[in-house]
Amino acid sequence: MRLTILNDNVPSKGLLNDWGWSVLAEGKRRFLFDADTRGEVLAHNSKVLGVSLENLDFAVLSHWHYDHYGGFEYIAELNPGLSLYAPPGGRIEGLKVVEIHSAGEISEEIWTSGALDGFEHAVGVETPSGLTAIVGCSHPGADRLTKAILKVFGYEKAHLVIGGFHYPSRRTLERLAGMAEFIAPAHCSGDEAKAYVRKNYPEKFVEVRTGSVLEV
Ligand SMILES: [Fe+2]
């Protein structure tokens, strides 16, 4: 599976940027995880990065905060009627919101953790290298979301956890390190968390920013 970071808080030359998070996942299925703040960012960056946001199989929204759903109107223009797997609490014109409450299968080898605290969910994707967990902002805790994903699949450890960890405590990062082979702190993780993982778990640390492409 290939993960293309369409926008992260950290900018890259030639790409538009703002505070937000959006990842295109392309494996057996093509889906968008979160849609940043603005369609213009997604349109520009996908073009420069050479990926299409048309013909998606589905989309996922981690939680109803603007820095994650702002670009979905643009995605709806490109993919009218597309299913958007999201926690309860909102709607997007042109998309079919499928409300996520509990853990379950979204598509072949792609599962949701269920909406933790009724607010935010994460997804897990099984790939040949193992389980990749993608998180949005981790308001319920990056460790809790990852644990929930592992439980759904019956895995002890994830291959990769990527996303916003919401300024995690050291304890949360220690727990994450015990649950994942690789850790890619992004979006709202904060410089301190990135530095902590880089220093204490250099073998696990994966640096991502706007425009990064990861193969898992
Ligand atoms: Fe966020």
Side-chain angles (χ1 to χ4, degrees):
M1 175 172 66
R2 186 169 60 178
L3 299 175
T4 303
I5 313 305
L6 294 169
N7 188 49
D8 171 61
N9 294 23
V10 182
S12 284
K13 215 178 158 197
L15 297 171
L16 292 181
N17 174 253
D18 50 28
W19 176 285
W21 181 236
S22 180
V23 182
L24 176 67
E26 297 172 290
K28 278 191 182 164
R29 298 281 181 275
R30 298 180 75 246
F31 68 95
L32 190 71
F33 183 96
D34 289 348
D36 196 48
T37 52
R38 288 182 289 138
E40 300 95 284
V41 174
L42 298 180
H44 177 86
N45 292 359
S46 61
K47 197 173 165 197
V48 173
L49 294 165
V51 291
S52 169
L53 295 178
E54 290 175 24
N55 300 314
L56 297 174
D57 291 308
F58 59 90
V60 174
L61 172 64
S62 58
H63 64 302
W64 288 98
H65 280 177
Y66 193 70
D67 54 326
H68 298 258
Y69 74 77
F72 271 127
E73 277 181 24
Y74 169 68
I75 295 302
E77 283 168 27
L78 299 180
N79 303 265
L82 188 73
S83 292
L84 175 66
Y85 294 87
R91 59 187 295 275
I92 303 283
E93 188 76 41
L95 296 183
K96 192 180 116 214
V97 173
V98 181
E99 282 193 359
I100 294 292
H101 296 273
S102 47
E105 189 176 32
I106 289 179
S107 181
E108 198 191 345
E109 295 169 356
I110 304 173
W111 290 65
T112 165
S113 61
L116 269 63
D117 307 332
F119 179 75
E120 178 171 346
H121 72 136
V123 296
V125 185
E126 251 178 333
T127 73
S129 24
L131 181 65
T132 287
I134 311 173
V135 302
C137 251
S138 299
H139 293 278
D143 50 342
R144 282 182 68 208
L145 282 166
T146 304
K147 205 171 168 186
I149 282 291
L150 289 174
K151 197 176 158 199
V152 167
F153 282 91
Y155 273 71
E156 297 246 308
K157 237 180 189 183
H159 174 64
L160 168 72
V161 179
I162 182 169
F165 299 161
H166 205 259
Y167 306 106
S169 65
R170 289 184 173 188
R171 213 165 146 206
T172 296
L173 291 173
E174 298 290 345
R175 284 203 203 101
L176 260 190
M179 288 189 272
E181 231 179 306
F182 293 99
I183 303 174
H187 182 45
C188 58
S189 297
D191 291 341
E192 218 174 286
K194 289 181 185 180
Y196 188 81
V197 177
R198 189 200 287 269
K199 180 162 178 267
N200 294 283
Y201 301 98
E203 75 288 359
K204 292 181 188 284
F205 180 72
V206 179
E207 188 173 6
V208 294
R209 65 196 307 156
T210 303
S212 296
V213 178
L214 305 182
E215 295 279 353
V216 286

